[in-house]
Amino acid sequence: NWFDKDQPDKGTQAMINGVLGCDVFIAIISEKYFLSEYCKLELGIAIREQKPIMVVHNVNSPIKEVLQWVPQELAVLKDIEFRPIADDDEAIIQHYASLLSKCLDS
């Protein structure tokens, strides 16, 4: 498991290595997610390396709106099922951990 925010080394190479070493890439997106060059870098690597990708977004954002956030260079992402999640942090953590577990079991 590699979660970028928990790593002491948050450098670009550490991010790349984290993505390369993961079994499943989970992108918890928001409108601001795609404004981050680092988020786009990680996601682009996951796409290029054909990692299984799970995309989750806030349940309060309609999927039509969420799909508009995806920049053209990452348009392939629109072919992946987006999964809504609840607002509070604890629910988010439990929800994506449960989804990841299901993905790894299949």
Side-chain angles (χ1 to χ4, degrees), residues 11-13 27 37 40 53 56 59 74 81 88 102 104 106:
T12 302
Q13 191 58 52
E37 292 303 316
K40 290 191 297 187
I53 299 173
V56 292
V59 71
L74 297 171
E81 179 184 355
D88 68 28
K102 288 177 187 172
L104 293 175
S106 58

Side-chain angles (χ1 to χ4, degrees), residues 100-106:
L100 175 58
S101 180
K102 288 177 187 172
C103 284
L104 293 175
D105 288 343
S106 58

Side-chain angles (χ1 to χ4, degrees), residues 46-92:
I47 291 168
R48 184 188 76 218
E49 296 297 317
Q50 299 181 350
K51 297 287 184 175
I53 299 173
M54 179 184 301
V55 180
V56 292
H57 66 92
N58 188 298
V59 71
N60 295 324
S61 300
I63 190 65
K64 269 187 152 179
E65 178 184 329
V66 172
L67 290 173
Q68 291 177 3
W69 301 340
V70 180
Q72 184 60 36
E73 69 268 18
L74 297 171
V76 67
L77 192 65
K78 293 180 179 184
D79 295 334
I80 298 171
E81 179 184 355
F82 283 48
R83 300 168 188 253
I85 53 175
D87 265 339
D88 68 28
D89 288 344
E90 189 60 32
I92 291 170

